[in-house]
Amino acid sequence: MKRSAISSLVNPLSANKTAVYSTSCRFCNVGCGYRVITGTMIEPQSPDLPIVKLENGKYVETVPDFRCPVNSGDYSVRGAFLTETLYNPHGATSDRLVYPMIRTNGRLVRSSWDDALNHVADQLKSYMQEGGAESIGIYHADWFGGENAFAYMRLAQVLGVRNYDLNGRLCAASGAAGLTRSLGNGSHPWSIDDIDDAEAIVLAGANASGTLSVVYDRIYARAQQGVKLIVVDVRRTLPAKNAEKYGMFLQINPGTDVALYNAIANVLISEKLVDDDYVSAHVSGFGEFKDHVLNDYHPDMVQRLIGVSADRIRGAAMAIGRSKRVLFLSGKGLEHQTHGTDMICSIINLALITGNMGQVGGSYSPLGGHQGSIVNPPLFAGKLDHVTIPNRTIFEMLDQIDKGTQKALLCACVQPMVTLPQLGRVKEILSKKLEFLVVTDIYPNETTDLADVVFPAASWGEACYTSTNTDRRVRFYETFSPPPGEARPDWVVPTEIGRRMGYASQFPWSNSEEIFDELKGGTPFAGLSYARMRASGTADFQMPVPTSSSVGTPRLYVDGKFPTPNGKALLWSLDYKPQPEPPTAQYPFTLVTGRENDLWQSGYTFRRVPQQVARLPHNEILVNTGDARRLGIRTGKAIRVKTRRGALNIIARVTNDIPRGVLFTLWGYPFSHTNILTIDARDPTSQTPSYKACAASIAAL
């Protein structure tokens, strides 16, 4: 694996053996660009950012890159402490997995790579002989690099495995499904630069300040310059509070998004604020959609359902309709719902009828969570060029394991024992019904605790790989730090297993660059190479990049042509559907989950960065002031939260930022295991779980 410095950035202090590399933040879907300075001696670049000492004696500092078009020198609290996540044998990251382990007599004991790989290959061969490919499943991350994902896809292909899924199912699937249904393709259409040209920005179910803070910094700056900011959310978040100053905050009842966007469409049509020319030329289904929203979604008819007055619905519609360039952005408030795909399509409807698709400053996009693999396999049965995987979801795999059909599961850099809903059932199945669990990861965790074989993975800075961010920018991650102990890049495990199972010719690679060169053929990034990405630093390329002379594609659909049978986008006439588990006398609250800036997803590195833990030392549950007064609940005191699936003690925070009858807590705080409470109800199209709503009760302890 090459560890080449970017020649144009090499520090002239070569006597100190100082080198500078380009990389991106490993966390959220913004993908901020950074410079990495390493050497035996380095000059601090910023008083606010840490310098750490690596195991090889070199020092390293990451500095936000002002030349990166994504962040232009800005950074988040997660990006600020990137170096703190590097391996330190004497620090908080000292528990890194550094050698393979095999479970023997109930304990995980150290093994060689050859013995562990041979053991896995022999076990999988045995299962294949007894039960065929149905007995094996693969579940991996989609943020850990296209090269790693491609290797697992190849393993699934050569073995004929249908039980194949990735953790994008839990966050990105509804956005991709909605985009595909409405526009013909699941790629995010927008460019981050559209923020700078929009006249109005709609944030729907997106606490951007707490999840993609660098994007929100740009949005907030534009709001201060006069851009209308419209925020739709259940919570009164920081963006909501700022929308009260610079635009409008619509605090809706949980799960009523479709009704709201239909009601806004009703006003746009009634007030003749539709872009008739655009709709006529580029959109199908307007006649049916018009009748649907005019007949059934007048603001007066649905205001009580939504929880927002008819006048405020009209005000939001008029602000949207009278703005020439409107940017619609949505978050997990839409995607983590049982009808998230419908919600996505409903907000896309607004972008289409106002002509705000594909123009500078006007578009729609899901903001996303983490970055995605550059070669995400289809989230539904389908085809990715030369690799075909008719996949089953992780939830179908759990059912197969429960029935005894599936015997083995390979997990790579995912945490099903933290992130899946209805964790009690998940633990029961994985601990008692699954015969053979293989886990590749960087730290011991709740999932490795159940594993029969564990492989240590190389992490950020320790391996080369590529990923994509929210506006389709290819992010290149350079190697600048040695992986600890015997840890290896993630692609090594599926490659070596495939070779040992008799498919050596299908796994010819010796490094990630060779994988990239193979996988890029015939794809939207065919024009890229490691050499080209290294040379560009953090300037990056937005897909599609079809040829080596292409500079990329800033935004999609600028010509109004969509990849659908008739070349037009489609308006969907959709109805509001109630939540799968409404409140009852026994469970009178609606529990909503989400994320915050300090914590990222399941907190696999958060717990090892002391500065971040200090900012968010424990999980909290938000309780409305009136509800708290009635139940004797006080801020800082633990309360008992209970659903039909389990119970949890969480510290209460009493606030009016959450409406009566609604609770809010973090989705993945380490050791809190909120998903013991959440419901295993899923969107019928995307199979994304409904993390955003289930019935709950609370009581003071």
Side-chain angles (χ1 to χ4, degrees):
M1 182 104 26
K2 297 178 181 178
R3 295 184 183 138
S4 302
I6 300 172
S7 58
S8 62
L9 297 178
V10 171
N11 193 306
L13 300 176
S14 56
N16 293 329
K17 298 181 180 180
T18 301
V20 182
Y21 305 81
S22 283
T23 190
S24 291
C25 182
R26 67 190 296 180
F27 295 111
C28 84
N29 211 15
V30 180
C32 293
Y34 286 82
R35 291 185 303 124
V36 180
I37 301 99
T38 70
T40 54
M41 296 174 60
I42 60 175
E43 189 78 20
Q45 302 294 303
S46 172
D48 301 323
L49 301 176
I51 296 175
V52 302
K53 187 176 183 180
L54 301 177
E55 189 180 15
N56 63 0
K58 290 187 177 181
Y59 293 89
V60 61
E61 180 182 25
T62 52
V63 181
D65 195 338
F66 283 88
R67 293 169 298 178
C68 178
V70 174
N71 55 313
S72 301
D74 195 6
Y75 58 91
S76 71
V77 65
R78 295 183 300 271
F81 298 123
L82 276 168
T83 51
E84 299 279 9
T85 69
L86 295 169
Y87 175 66
N88 183 337
H90 308 294
T93 59
S94 60
D95 62 336
R96 277 284 299 271
L97 295 170
V98 294
Y99 48 75
M101 293 181 285
I102 297 176
R103 189 169 297 278
T104 305
N105 296 324
R107 294 176 57 249
L108 286 170
V109 297
R110 183 171 183 169
S111 168
S112 70
W113 270 90
D114 278 338
D115 286 348
L117 289 165
N118 287 333
H119 178 57
V120 173
D122 289 343
Q123 286 291 104
L124 296 186
K125 286 179 185 176
S126 177
Y127 287 127
M128 290 282 287
Q129 291 169 358
E130 295 175 6
E134 296 293 282
S135 61
I136 298 171
I138 297 174
Y139 181 48
H140 66 75
D142 65 348
W143 57 267
F144 71 159
E147 297 82 348
N148 299 313
F150 189 80
Y152 275 101
M153 292 166 61
R154 175 60 54 78
L155 183 63
Q157 180 199 26
V158 300
L159 297 182
V161 169
R162 296 181 62 207
N163 304 314
Y164 177 90
D165 204 4
L166 63 160
N167 72 332
R169 176 78 56 203
L170 308 183
C171 59
S174 289
L179 286 164
T180 301
R181 283 171 60 180
S182 295
L183 308 181
N185 184 280
S187 297
H188 293 191
W190 77 312
S191 173
I192 286 177
D193 291 338
D194 287 327
I195 296 170
D196 301 329
D197 294 291
E199 291 185 8
I201 299 173
V202 178
L203 280 178
N207 178 24
S209 67
T211 53
L212 301 100
S213 57
V214 168
V215 161
Y216 182 70
D217 287 347
R218 293 177 72 163
I219 292 173
Y220 181 55
R222 292 289 290 143
Q224 291 177 306
Q225 294 165 6
V227 167
K228 301 179 186 71
L229 177 59
I230 300 171
V231 171
V232 181
D233 212 319
V234 173
R235 278 193 300 156
R236 189 169 174 265
T237 60
L238 178 60
K241 294 172 184 177
N242 286 324
E244 291 173 336
K245 299 178 186 177
Y246 302 109
M248 181 179 293
F249 170 42
L250 305 179
Q251 189 168 25
I252 65 171
N253 291 328
T256 59
D257 299 75
V258 170
L260 172 64
Y261 306 134
N262 282 351
I264 290 175
N266 176 295
V267 177
L268 291 170
I269 294 170
S270 299
E271 297 294 330
K272 300 186 180 349
L273 295 172
V274 172
D275 188 331
D276 293 319
D277 291 340
Y278 184 88
V279 170
S280 176
H282 305 299
V283 181
S284 297
F286 181 71
E288 180 184 350
F289 176 73
K290 175 181 177 180
D291 292 343
H292 179 65
V293 298
L294 290 182
N295 291 335
D296 298 331
Y297 287 92
H298 191 282
D300 291 339
M301 297 168 58
V302 293
Q303 60 180 336
R304 181 170 295 182
L305 168 68
I306 298 168
V308 176
S309 72
D311 286 344
R312 290 183 65 76
I313 294 172
R314 291 189 188 95
M318 299 302 287
I320 291 169
R322 289 172 176 169
S323 299
K324 293 182 180 179
R325 297 181 299 276
V326 185
L327 182 58
F328 298 87
L329 301 171
S330 66
K332 296 296 171 273
L334 275 64
E335 294 182 86
H336 280 173
Q337 303 271 3
T338 47
H339 302 292
T341 301
D342 285 357
M343 293 177 180
I344 297 293
C345 291
S346 292
I347 196 169
I348 293 175
N349 287 343
L350 299 184
L352 289 173
I353 66 173
T354 55
N356 282 292
M357 188 60 71
Q359 67 166 310
V360 175
S363 189
Y364 162 75
S365 184
L367 285 170
H370 49 62
Q371 293 184 65
S373 163
I374 195 171
V375 289
N376 268 348
L379 292 171
F380 323 109
K383 183 175 182 293
L384 177 67
D385 246 31
H386 48 290
V387 180
T388 300
I389 303 171
N391 58 304
R392 291 195 179 107
T393 70
I394 182 60
F395 306 106
E396 291 171 307
M397 282 191 248
L398 290 172
D399 293 339
Q400 296 293 317
I401 297 167
D402 196 23
K403 290 189 299 185
T405 305
Q406 182 179 326
K407 308 291 186 180
L409 178 64
L410 277 62
C411 283
C413 293
V414 288
Q415 260 271 51
M417 282 300 300
V418 173
T419 59
L420 295 182
Q422 202 168 334
L423 269 183
R425 178 176 184 261
V426 175
K427 184 175 183 179
E428 177 77 12
I429 291 172
L430 294 185
S431 64
K432 297 182 180 180
K433 301 293 185 68
L434 183 65
E435 291 185 6
F436 190 61
L437 176 62
V438 180
V439 178
T440 304
D441 218 320
I442 60 175
Y443 290 112
N445 54 51
E446 294 87 340
T447 305
T448 62
D449 287 346
L450 303 179
D452 297 283
V453 180
V454 175
F455 290 104
S459 185
W460 171 81
E462 301 165 358
C464 289
Y465 61 93
T466 49
S467 68
T468 55
N469 80 338
T470 182
D471 64 345
R472 309 173 324 284
R473 295 175 195 266
V474 182
R475 321 304 288 140
F476 181 66
Y477 292 80
E478 184 68 274
T479 303
F480 58 84
S481 173
E486 300 172 23
R488 299 182 184 179
D490 289 274
W491 59 265
V492 170
V493 172
T495 296
E496 291 297 333
I497 291 173
R499 290 170 177 170
R500 284 165 168 78
M501 294 186 72
Y503 301 97
S505 63
Q506 297 291 319
F507 298 90
W509 321 300
S510 60
N511 57 54
S512 63
E513 186 170 5
E514 292 177 1
I515 300 176
F516 183 84
D517 287 342
E518 178 180 339
L519 68 87
K520 72 179 182 179
T523 68
F525 46 92
L528 294 179
S529 65
Y530 271 27
R532 194 176 182 199
M533 289 186 286
R534 280 193 176 102
S536 73
T538 60
D540 63 49
F541 302 87
Q542 288 176 268
M543 295 194 296
V545 190
T547 67
S548 59
S549 60
S550 171
V551 296
T553 309
R555 53 187 58 80
L556 304 182
Y557 315 128
V558 294
D559 58 359
K561 295 179 181 179
F562 297 88
T564 59
N566 65 0
K568 294 185 176 184
L570 179 61
L571 291 172
W572 286 81
S573 299
L574 300 163
D575 279 314
Y576 159 79
K577 298 180 180 71
Q579 297 284 12
E581 194 176 70
T584 64
Q586 185 178 3
Y587 297 100
F589 291 89
T590 296
L591 175 64
V592 176
T593 68
R595 299 167 295 167
E596 284 293 349
N597 202 20
D598 298 275
L599 175 69
W600 190 242
Q601 309 293 37
S602 62
Y604 66 99
T605 56
F606 164 84
R607 65 185 79 173
R608 295 169 180 87
V609 180
Q611 299 94 321
Q612 287 178 262
V613 174
R615 288 164 56 99
L616 195 67
H618 51 72
N619 195 12
E620 294 181 327
I621 187 162
L622 275 57
V623 184
N624 175 268
T625 303
D627 291 329
R629 186 183 301 114
R630 176 171 53 85
L631 296 172
I633 291 170
R634 293 186 296 168
T635 291
K637 301 295 183 181
I639 65 173
R640 187 73 165 169
V641 186
K642 186 177 181 182
T643 70
R644 290 177 174 87
R645 290 151 297 281
L648 204 61
N649 294 344
I650 311 179
I651 301 296
R653 177 153 65 90
V654 178
T655 175
N656 283 322
D657 291 342
I658 200 83
R660 286 200 175 201
V662 177
L663 309 168
F664 175 86
T665 192
L666 295 180
W667 169 82
Y669 195 94
F671 312 120
S672 181
H673 292 176
T674 300
N675 284 311
I676 289 172
L677 307 172
T678 52
I679 187 172
D680 185 17
R682 303 187 295 276
D683 182 288
T685 302
S686 68
Q687 291 297 301
T688 296
S690 178
Y691 291 110
K692 288 297 180 188
C694 65
S697 65
I698 54 174
L701 293 176

